Amino acid sequence: MQLILIVIVTLFVSSLRANEVLVFEDASELVENCAWKIVTVIDGNNKKGEKTVLGLATGSTPIPLYEALIKITYENHFDWSHVVTFNLDEYVGLPHGHEQSYRYFMDRYLFSRLAFPNYILGIKPENIHFPDVRLCDGKDISLRQFTDDYEMLLACEGPIDIQILGIGTNGHIGFAEPGSSFSGSTMVVALSESTIRDNARFFGGDINAVPQKAITMGIGSILKAKDIILLATGANKAAIMEKVLTSSPAEDIPATALHFHDNVTIYLDKEAAPWKQ
Ligand code: F6R
């Protein structure tokens, strides 16, 4: 693996803990480095006969990371059979199989490619967990019970070894929007106007086609992970990343909650970190 790391910045924000901020020349170096970090943890646990619990994100940012993980898997016959996954979030209200549902996204970009037929080292369908309220279909279960059950499952299977996060331009992580409590657990949320606007690009540019609600792990659930990786690429993430890195923790910028965690690595490409040029 050729790793060209252009800058490693340790950023101290007033009296807060330090996060490691890695700035890469471009997104492909970034994802290669990040993918190797993830497989190294999984491999270490495999060798000890232990499972690895991964927290997964959707959105455009992690797609190249998932491709890098698949490439490493194919080239190294990498073993995913002891990996357990929890996805961060899902829209409420999209029908089964909708191409913009996050379940469809994960199947398309990662799961189906790690569980191809006869690959015994592939990820096991029963190890994939999703906060998908459609799982309640036909059952007499309230959303509240569903969110509590997801949190319970996280507690039973967890802690998450590595939580992967993207970030919204308003600072959301998962779909924990500005104003979310830093101690919040899995919940149903109303999506903010800016998130609906940002995500309209996936719905043919039609704001009205974007669901208004989602189910998401809360910030409190996210902070329980042992290790957190936040990825941000592209110039449209520069402003929010600068804010996150220089602001004191405040609920109006959800990602600032990460300052309270001991083990966060932030992966940026040059465009998301123009302040480092
Ligand atoms: C999705 C998620 C969101 C996205 C964020 C950025 O599972 O957790 O917080 O990470 O909206 O999305 P992209 O990567 O499309 O800019």
Side-chain angles (χ1 to χ4, degrees):
M1 174 187 60
Q2 194 195 6
L3 165 66
I4 309 169
L5 187 62
I6 62 162
V7 188
I8 300 183
V9 194
T10 302
L11 215 111
F12 294 93
V13 183
S14 61
S15 60
L16 304 172
R17 294 196 182 107
N19 286 327
E20 191 179 23
V21 182
L22 308 178
V23 183
F24 291 83
E25 189 63 35
D26 59 38
S28 64
E29 283 166 17
L30 181 159
V31 294
E32 192 183 351
N33 178 269
C34 186
W36 275 106
K37 173 172 170 140
I38 294 165
V39 295
T40 303
V41 170
I42 299 173
D43 193 43
N45 286 337
N46 284 349
K47 287 188 173 123
K48 288 186 275 175
E50 290 172 11
K51 70 179 178 188
T52 303
V53 185
L54 292 184
L56 299 175
T58 57
S60 47
T61 312
I63 293 175
L65 171 66
Y66 296 150
E67 276 160 7
L69 287 171
I70 289 157
K71 185 163 176 272
I72 293 171
T73 301
Y74 285 10
E75 288 174 357
N76 300 277
H77 303 288
F78 193 70
D79 184 357
W80 287 81
S81 63
H82 303 290
V83 173
V84 175
T85 67
F86 282 87
N87 262 83
L88 276 168
D89 45 14
E90 177 59 289
Y91 290 116
V92 172
L94 293 181
H96 281 279
H98 191 289
E99 291 194 6
Q100 293 312 330
S101 73
Y102 284 169
R103 178 65 211 225
Y104 183 94
F105 174 103
M106 289 307 301
D107 284 340
R108 172 173 176 194
Y109 289 107
L110 191 68
F111 298 147
S112 65
R113 297 164 76 189
L114 292 178
F116 45 94
N118 304 325
Y119 184 54
I120 52 162
L121 299 180
I123 197 160
K124 296 188 174 135
E126 65 271 26
N127 286 344
I128 294 171
H129 302 293
F130 232 88
D132 185 350
V133 292
R134 293 167 306 180
L135 299 172
C136 309
D137 279 0
K139 288 183 214 149
D140 183 17
I141 177 173
S142 67
L143 285 183
R144 180 58 204 263
Q145 189 185 334
F146 180 82
T147 53
D148 287 354
D149 286 354
Y150 198 67
E151 202 62 34
M152 179 81 79
L153 201 54
L154 271 166
C156 291
E157 290 280 354
I160 287 174
D161 291 288
I162 303 180
Q163 174 66 58
I164 297 163
L165 297 174
I167 183 167
T169 54
N170 64 1
H172 73 215
I173 48 178
F175 270 140
E177 295 281 27
S180 302
S181 158
F182 281 179
S183 58
S185 55
T186 304
M187 60 191 164
V188 176
V189 290
L191 296 182
S192 72
E193 266 180 51
S194 78
T195 298
I196 292 177
R197 236 185 358 258
D198 283 352
N199 288 7
R201 69 192 196 277
F202 299 115
F203 291 82
D206 179 4
I207 313 186
N208 298 317
V210 183
Q212 313 255 316
K213 282 188 184 172
I215 183 163
T216 182
M217 279 165 58
I219 296 177
S221 343
I222 292 169
L223 292 178
K224 285 182 191 152
K226 287 196 220 163
D227 204 332
I228 297 179
I229 288 174
L230 182 139
L231 307 172
T233 53
N236 67 329
K237 298 293 169 67
I240 188 62
M241 283 316 303
E242 189 168 4
K243 252 194 212 166
V244 168
L245 292 169
T246 55
S247 304
S248 301
E251 289 179 353
D252 60 331
I253 310 176
T256 56
L258 300 179
H259 290 302
F260 289 123
H261 196 281
D262 279 332
N263 215 356
V264 179
T265 312
I266 296 179
Y267 285 73
L268 304 175
D269 67 357
K270 273 200 310 195
E271 271 118 56
W275 37 271
K276 268 324 291 174
Q277 313 300 308

